[in-house]
Amino acid sequence: MRGKLAAGNWKMNGVAAELSEIEALAAAIGTPACEVLICPPATLINRMAAISGDSVKIGGQDCHAAASGAHTGDVSAAMLADAGASHVIVGHSERRADHGEDDAAVQAKALAALAAGLVAVVCVGETLEERETGRTLGVIATQLDGSVPDLASGDTIVVAYEPVWAIGTGLTPTLAQIGEVHDFIRANLEARLGAGVGGTIKLLYGGSVKPGNAAEIFAVSNVDGALVGGASLKAADFGAIVNALAAA
Ligand code: PGA
């Protein structure tokens, strides 16, 4: 059976003063009936992992595809693991847009994550223009085929569906639109990897998830959790989302 995962992406936010949010989060959620992950900036991973407790896992927001070498400013998956991370996000749309990462680059990062023993959270999602011109499912299929490695399993890969136009905008797709894409992703993964594997990969929805809309999103078929940006920065908000998922 698939588990559930509430993942927070702090993006380029957070210094040592915000570490108290992790202690508050741990207190707010107790021992929830779902996995909980926070991906802070790389500078906080080590300190956050030291205080996050058993219920909150820590992840990176990106990794380099190589294990080590002359790549100034980059961080490898092995370094994230060494700092205390269990997961890493790869292929977030902000990385794809800001750093020109294509599907092949994202897959290489996912493979590096697996090699370092990390779970890779692979992000896919259409732009507004792609949705408005009826290309959503085709775009998602291309991204899945190119970004998700053949080695994927339920223990090593999570897929996050994040419509680019819903990230940080307060806009969300309708529940029917979320369900359509999640069912499509599930069918795609099952067709490619076999039902035994494709059926075990957690699918997260991301894009303007808040305490007020979390429960209805978690009730949608094939939604196994969320990847949360802005609302993960405050323990009270993210704790409410975690508790909604645990109750779903
Ligand atoms: P948001 O970001 O929750 O602030 O929309 C989601 C994400 O980028 O993962």
Side-chain angles (χ1 to χ4, degrees):
M1 204 197 112
R2 287 194 303 276
K4 300 185 279 191
L5 172 63
N9 171 12
W10 276 22
K11 308 192 180 183
M12 200 170 71
N13 298 290
V15 292
E18 274 79 54
L19 287 169
S20 59
E21 293 296 330
I22 293 305
E23 287 158 326
L25 175 66
I29 62 177
T31 307
C34 62
E35 275 185 281
V36 179
L37 171 69
I38 294 284
C39 300
T43 48
L44 285 183
I45 288 174
N46 195 266
R47 280 174 286 176
M48 203 178 268
I51 60 166
S52 61
D54 293 338
S55 297
V56 181
K57 297 176 180 173
I58 306 301
Q61 299 175 9
D62 175 53
C63 64
H64 196 279
S68 63
H71 303 288
T72 301
D74 279 311
V75 175
S76 75
M79 291 168 181
L80 296 174
D82 183 59
S86 57
H87 292 61
V88 62
I89 299 167
V90 294
H92 190 282
S93 64
E94 289 154 15
R95 298 287 318 175
R96 291 178 185 261
D98 294 355
H99 299 271
E101 294 180 6
D102 61 11
D103 291 328
V106 174
Q107 177 164 171
K109 288 171 183 243
L111 285 169
L114 270 48
L118 299 179
V119 177
V121 180
V122 180
C123 301
V124 298
E126 83 285 1
T127 64
L128 187 59
E129 197 233 329
E130 288 163 345
R131 176 162 283 280
E132 287 179 338
T133 52
R135 290 185 285 147
T136 298
L137 298 183
V139 166
I140 300 295
T142 300
Q143 292 179 339
L144 287 174
D145 293 349
S147 306
V148 175
D150 288 334
L151 278 176
S153 76
D155 293 332
T156 58
I157 294 284
V158 173
V159 173
Y161 167 54
E162 298 205 308
V164 177
W165 53 273
I167 294 174
T169 59
L171 303 172
T172 53
T174 65
L175 298 177
Q177 287 170 329
I178 294 173
E180 178 189 35
V181 177
H182 278 247
D183 288 350
F184 178 81
I185 293 172
R186 177 71 62 214
N188 175 294
L189 294 175
E190 289 185 346
R192 175 164 156 213
L193 304 169
V197 173
T200 61
I201 293 176
K202 295 184 195 74
L203 307 186
L204 311 183
Y205 168 76
S208 297
V209 176
K210 309 269 184 255
N213 62 15
E216 62 183 19
I217 291 171
F218 295 147
V220 174
S221 96
N222 278 314
V223 174
D224 304 312
L227 181 54
V228 183
S232 72
L233 293 169
K234 291 286 164 216
D237 287 347
F238 194 59
I241 292 169
V242 169
N243 290 333
L245 181 62

